[in-house]
Amino acid sequence: MTLPAVPSSPLRHLLTLEGMPREQLLALLDRAQHHADGHDDRQALAGTAVCTLFFEPSTRTRLSFQLAAQRLGADVLNFDVSTSSTRKGETARDTLRTIEAMGVRGFVIRHQDDGAVATLAEAAAPGTALVNAGDGRSAHPTQGLLDMLTLRQAKGGDFSGLTVLIVGDVRHSRVARSDLHALQALGTGEIRVCGPRSLLPDDATLAGCTVSHDLDAALDGVDAVMMLRLQRERMDEGLVTSLDEYHRDYGLDAARLKRAAPDAVVMHPGPINRGIEITDEVADGPQSLVLQQVRNGVAARMAVLETLLRGD
């Protein structure tokens, strides 16, 4: 089968979904669906080396990128910061350029600092492609892609009739920002955001969204609920009074889910804090798409790597 092409100017890096043209986003989703349907070219990236350069821990994202690259026939190098020269004082830029000098063309980078991947992209040599696998609070574009792919599979391609609710710690969430950028680019009918005031951003992040602090009201009639992980350090910072109170006010259980549309779907980027953001009966229930998101992560990342490194 012929792979869907990505229109307009070719992508050199994937740093964010903010400002991505709708047509380009749709083309990436079409290509991801192509792979989700099992149409893999095992030699698409044969002879190409890809390095997963992670400066903070990850399980799902790192493993899915590794699988994605391997399924495309790439050679995969895994960078372990705990045993690397960064422990001796080497900068991230020097690490990138050193590995580049070995002939590596693709880098999948996760970093704890906002904008770190964009800074490294400025230092990259021509012909090198960088993928942001999550930086600080800024962006996690491939998570946004796999979430949109999952939502499109469940609800169809017309987002204009959908009401989507994002719940939880949006202030500190790179996932939420990428999901918001993607939902807006796809013309989602209504985007609702709900969480405690202390965990919602006070800048322009939520422009155009319907913001609420009452989860029961926000759930009314929604087509999709995207739950976010509560980072427990927020309790130490005084932004959350207690886990029990957070679950009482913002946790999703089966009774609350009944306020949504009967065919509403539930999503979560993982890892899940069971009994805090979401109960077992919802996480493992028939409306949950959590494991489908995980499966789609490989397809979405295949689409990105192929687009950047094959250039078609």
Side-chain angles (χ1 to χ4, degrees):
M1 294 181 65
T2 302
L3 282 166
V6 177
S8 70
S9 59
L11 285 171
R12 181 182 172 195
H13 309 293
L14 181 63
L15 306 178
T16 180
L17 298 182
E18 185 174 12
M20 178 177 283
R22 181 174 183 271
E23 294 75 17
Q24 198 163 51
L25 179 57
L26 286 173
L28 283 170
L29 291 174
D30 288 344
R31 183 171 288 212
Q33 185 62 58
H34 177 87
H35 290 302
D37 291 338
H39 304 298
D40 299 345
D41 181 354
R42 300 283 174 159
Q43 296 301 310
L45 297 183
T48 301
V50 175
C51 179
T52 57
L53 193 59
F54 279 48
F55 293 93
E56 67 173 17
S58 168
T59 300
R60 290 163 180 77
T61 302
R62 182 195 282 272
L63 289 178
S64 64
F65 266 113
Q66 289 174 8
L67 277 173
Q70 289 167 356
R71 288 184 182 177
L72 294 170
D75 299 317
V76 183
L77 291 76
N78 297 313
F79 175 87
D80 184 353
V81 69
S82 66
T83 59
S84 74
S85 293
T86 60
R87 298 290 298 271
K88 303 175 183 178
E90 183 174 81
T91 66
R93 181 183 183 278
D94 284 338
T95 298
L96 173 74
R97 298 304 300 271
T98 298
I99 300 173
E100 257 186 337
M102 299 177 190
V104 176
R105 287 188 54 222
F107 289 85
V108 178
I109 303 177
R110 171 167 286 198
H111 203 285
Q112 63 271 19
D113 295 338
D114 290 332
V117 184
T119 299
L120 288 173
E122 293 175 357
T128 296
L130 271 60
V131 182
N132 182 357
D135 66 330
R137 307 175 185 179
S138 300
H140 196 346
T142 58
Q143 182 70 44
L145 284 172
L146 73 89
D147 286 347
M148 297 308 107
L149 178 63
T150 305
L151 188 55
R152 189 170 75 162
Q153 289 168 346
K155 296 296 179 181
D158 184 5
F159 279 52
S160 65
L162 296 181
T163 300
V164 178
L165 171 63
I166 299 176
V167 181
D169 185 8
V170 178
R171 180 186 290 269
H172 305 98
S173 176
R174 54 196 173 202
V175 172
R177 284 170 173 77
S178 289
D179 280 340
L180 285 168
H181 295 150
L183 288 168
Q184 290 162 352
L186 293 172
T188 305
E190 182 182 4
I191 305 171
R192 299 180 188 175
V193 175
C194 182
R197 287 181 172 83
S198 60
L199 296 182
L200 295 185
D202 52 10
D203 54 17
T205 300
L206 303 182
C209 300
T210 302
V211 179
S212 171
H213 308 292
D214 181 343
L215 180 56
D216 292 323
L219 280 164
D220 185 35
V222 299
D223 300 294
V225 188
M226 307 177 87
M227 304 299 294
L228 299 173
R229 182 174 68 88
L230 177 66
Q231 300 173 42
R232 292 173 184 249
E233 59 267 30
R234 304 307 167 212
M235 287 188 63
D236 296 335
E237 296 171 1
L239 299 179
V240 177
T241 305
S242 75
L243 296 179
D244 288 340
E245 287 189 17
Y246 184 87
H247 179 69
R248 180 196 67 198
D249 295 336
Y250 298 103
L252 186 64
D253 57 22
R256 266 195 168 132
L257 184 55
K258 291 179 180 178
R259 296 175 178 271
D263 61 347
V265 295
V266 177
M267 303 170 66
H268 192 299
I272 297 172
N273 291 308
R274 289 174 179 262
I276 299 175
E277 304 119 15
I278 190 169
T279 60
D280 289 346
E281 60 187 341
V282 174
D284 303 325
Q287 292 169 269
S288 172
L289 299 182
V290 172
L291 292 180
Q292 187 172 337
Q293 288 173 268
V294 176
R295 285 191 292 272
N296 281 332
V298 177
R301 286 156 182 149
M302 288 177 72
V304 169
L305 291 173
E306 193 171 41
T307 298
L308 293 178
L309 294 173
R310 204 162 90 164
D312 56 4

